Amino acid sequence: MLKLYNTLSRTKEEFKPQADKVTMYSCGPTVYNYAHIGNLRTYVFMDVLRRVLKYDGYKIKGVMNITDVGHLLSDADDGEDKMVKASREQKKSPVEIAAYYTEIFMNDTAALNIGMPEIIAKATEHIDDMIKYVVALQEKGYAYETSDGIYFDIAKFPEYGKLSRLNLDEQIAGARVEVNSEKRHPADFALWKKAEKNHIMQWQSPWGMGYPGWHIECSAMSRKYLGKTLDIHTGGVDHIPVHHENEIAQSEALEGCKTVNYWLHGEFMLVEGGKMSKSLGNTYTIAQLKEKGYPPLAFRYFCLNAHYRKKLNFTFDGMDSALTSLKRLYALMLKHKQGTEKASAEALGKYETEFRNAIDDDLNIPLALGTLWTMLKDEKDSRDVYSLALKFDTVLGLSLDKCEEYADKPEPAEIPDDIKAIADERWEARKNKNWAESDRLRELLKEKGYAVKDAKDGFTVEKL
Ligand SMILES: [Zn+2]
């Protein structure tokens, strides 16, 4: 029985989807910059959830949005649009910026074996859906117009704050909203913004030219593709107090019912014990990790070692040990793949139950990994063990089937300089057809414990 921790109830609940096909919405990236390792951790979590659902036999209809308009610098609708700012700074059009960073995001997630949801929805391709949504909210009396936009009237939605369990004063303090004298309440948020004449992204609407707010995008797209009520909605914990609170307000105001049954949130990543921020220069990307010699799957393994609801402290020491462990895992897999022993069905059954119990307990992947390690280390080398480990890997996503390719090959022994010099001398003698000298030097190398192997255009020296 799968249990998931629901942020709304603050408890682990038995997962009961509405139908065989699980409907799931995941807040996606705002594509104005590279996704950093903290962002990517959230998508590893999303991916693991999808994999566990599939392992348990469910089918999934998943949607993820790509925010390419409307995400202002502050989540609470202040400041400039992130896309517009990036466009000005990088001297490219918002469309070019979005295309560029979306492609990198897709490549990074693919390198991390993150399976993408079935539907990827771009905000700019759903402007009409958002406008219709805002019109409907206005007709129902939940929205009002000011000189700069259409705002959601949170006084009309008394349950506002039920996800974050913050009262409005705390919300406002947290969101640092600027005072806008036309807003009825400081926490009212923009559904639609009227555009200044020279604003770079704007669309025709019943309220003149403008662009959508960020929150409306997720409500409109999830409604369009998944209907009134979703089984699961995921995001990062940073989304809880403003973005997801606003999504609930909009969606439930419009539908008049509960619109998400299970809210799941991935925790933050810290770097060297502190906050991750652009100004500290510690918002690492997958490309930067690769440059430092860490393959993307080592980062995935690093993430899997912590439960998704625990803060994870990123350190390079931690990455070193993740890489070492992962290589060891591939080496163990290889041993089992080549093994000839027969594993006991009873033992395998026990591991399988342990693994299933761990993943079904609110995705306890660290515990599930423990089962994998114990099995690979304790059992005799056997193809049966290898096959079961591959089944586990449908959840872990560590490409364990590529163990041959990824297993750590023994490092070639360092050849001392004096040995290299003798080998070079022998190669010269050989080139000059001085066979006697060449043979003498080969013997000398052998006495010193080295073998030389000739190839067409060179030679290699190996320690005997
Ligand atoms: Zn969202």
Side-chain angles (χ1 to χ4, degrees):
M1 181 181 67
L2 175 60
K3 283 188 168 183
L4 298 173
Y5 183 88
N6 190 344
T7 308
L8 196 62
S9 67
R10 303 288 195 273
T11 53
K12 275 188 214 171
E13 296 175 14
E14 187 185 337
F15 178 62
K16 288 183 190 151
Q18 303 163 96
D20 289 347
K21 204 172 225 181
V22 174
T23 51
M24 176 166 159
Y25 187 89
S26 301
C27 285
T30 301
V31 284
Y32 71 109
N33 206 331
Y34 300 98
H36 59 62
I37 50 174
N39 306 133
L40 291 166
R41 184 190 179 198
T42 308
Y43 300 108
V44 170
F45 147 63
M46 172 197 80
D47 174 59
V48 167
L49 172 59
R50 286 173 51 85
R51 285 167 176 271
V52 167
L53 288 167
K54 287 180 186 169
Y55 192 93
D56 285 354
Y58 293 109
K59 292 196 166 60
I60 307 171
K61 184 175 185 186
V63 176
M64 188 178 81
N65 62 309
I66 299 277
T67 301
D68 52 1
V69 65
H71 195 166
L72 305 187
L73 287 179
S74 140
D75 286 357
D77 307 314
D78 303 317
E80 202 174 359
D81 186 309
K82 289 185 181 185
M83 295 300 300
V84 173
K85 182 168 184 272
S87 160
R88 194 186 62 239
E89 286 172 355
Q90 299 176 34
K91 298 193 171 53
K92 285 181 186 153
S93 75
V95 174
E96 287 170 321
I97 299 270
Y100 179 74
Y101 291 111
T102 302
E103 193 188 339
I104 291 172
F105 177 78
M106 291 301 171
N107 292 341
D108 284 350
T109 48
L112 288 167
N113 282 350
I114 293 172
M116 278 292 132
E118 288 64 29
I119 298 168
I120 303 292
K122 288 181 186 171
T124 48
E125 290 171 2
H126 295 78
I127 302 290
D128 281 350
D129 301 299
M130 296 186 228
I131 290 174
K132 280 184 202 143
Y133 208 106
V134 178
V135 168
L137 282 173
Q138 220 177 0
E139 280 168 0
K140 283 196 141 192
Y142 284 102
Y144 61 91
E145 186 166 358
T146 71
S147 60
D148 75 339
I150 310 295
Y151 285 82
F152 187 89
D153 191 350
I154 63 164
K156 299 264 169 63
F157 188 76
E159 287 181 85
Y160 193 86
K162 68 178 173 180
L163 184 67
S164 57
R165 301 195 177 177
L166 295 171
N167 65 38
L168 273 178
D169 291 341
E170 289 167 324
Q171 288 264 346
I172 295 159
R176 296 183 301 273
V177 278
E178 273 171 27
V179 181
N180 174 337
S181 59
E182 286 183 77
K183 282 209 264 184
R184 294 180 189 166
H185 189 286
D188 288 353
F189 56 92
L191 299 164
W192 185 264
K193 292 279 255 188
K194 295 179 185 172
E196 312 262 323
K197 252 208 175 88
N198 57 0
H199 196 270
I200 195 161
M201 299 171 93
Q202 45 179 299
W203 290 265
Q204 188 63 52
S205 81
W207 319 281
M209 296 302 284
Y211 55 95
W214 173 40
H215 319 295
I216 196 72
E217 163 189 337
C218 291
S219 289
M221 294 194 203
S222 66
R223 177 176 213 245
K224 174 170 180 154
Y225 294 108
L226 303 172
K228 269 189 184 183
T229 303
L230 323 172
D231 290 314
I232 301 176
H233 194 313
T234 71
V237 284
D238 51 322
H239 287 144
I240 298 172
V242 179
H243 183 52
H244 287 168
E245 211 65 90
N246 292 353
E247 272 192 45
I248 290 176
Q250 296 162 160
S251 301
E252 300 198 354
L254 188 72
E255 314 287 9
C257 64
K258 194 178 186 187
T259 51
V260 174
N261 286 336
Y262 300 85
W263 281 96
L264 270 71
H265 292 96
E267 253 294 349
F268 275 129
M269 180 170 265
L270 305 171
V271 173
E272 309 282 350
K275 254 197 100 164
M276 198 183 300
S277 86
K278 292 241 157 61
S279 57
L280 294 170
N282 62 10
T283 51
Y284 300 111
T285 62
I286 287 300
Q288 285 170 327
L289 292 190
K290 272 205 241 172
E291 266 169 38
K292 289 177 188 282
Y294 302 104
L297 288 183
F299 178 69
R300 181 176 174 103
Y301 185 83
F302 177 78
C303 290
L304 296 186
N305 268 291
H307 190 263
Y308 77 93
R309 284 195 291 116
K310 294 241 164 68
K311 287 192 178 69
L312 174 57
N313 186 27
F314 178 90
T315 61
F316 285 103
D317 282 349
M319 279 300 292
D320 285 338
S321 62
L323 182 55
T324 307
S325 301
L326 186 59
K327 284 184 175 173
R328 182 113 196 274
L329 211 47
Y330 291 131
L332 283 168
M333 282 298 283
L334 190 56
K335 254 163 53 94
H336 283 286
K337 188 178 184 182
Q338 295 162 346
T340 50
E341 303 272 351
K342 191 105 192 71
S344 100
E346 194 192 334
L348 294 182
K350 189 175 75 69
Y351 292 121
E352 199 164 0
T353 307
E354 257 181 46
F355 185 86
R356 176 84 184 254
N357 288 344
I359 60 170
D360 279 358
D361 182 16
D362 191 31
L363 323 182
N364 194 338
I365 302 299
L367 195 63
L369 270 176
T371 300
L372 174 69
W373 275 105
T374 309
M375 177 175 83
L376 293 178
K377 283 197 286 193
D378 290 2
E379 293 299 312
K380 288 184 193 140
D381 296 350
S382 159
R383 288 282 301 187
D384 307 329
V385 171
Y386 174 77
S387 300
L388 184 55
L390 287 189
K391 186 177 176 192
F392 293 171
D393 198 40
T394 60
V395 169
L396 304 170
L398 293 168
S399 295
L400 296 183
D401 57 329
K402 296 194 181 140
C403 56
E404 256 147 2
E405 200 179 318
Y406 294 162
D408 213 2
K409 312 251 177 352
E411 293 284 323
E414 194 64 40
I415 307 295
D417 285 345
D418 60 321
I419 300 294
K420 280 185 201 157
I422 299 172
D424 286 340
E425 218 179 298
R426 194 197 72 93
W427 183 249
E428 279 304 308
R430 215 181 119 80
K431 276 205 297 194
N432 299 329
K433 300 195 165 55
N434 187 347
W435 309 116
E437 178 66 356
S438 160
D439 285 347
R440 188 186 69 81
L441 291 168
R442 178 189 283 275
E443 278 307 306
L444 182 62
L445 284 169
K446 205 172 159 191
E447 277 166 34
K448 290 180 182 281
Y450 292 86
V452 64
K453 280 186 193 157
D454 293 318
K456 231 174 164 183
D457 47 2
F459 63 93
T460 54
V461 184
E462 277 170 22
K463 204 164 169 28
L464 285 169

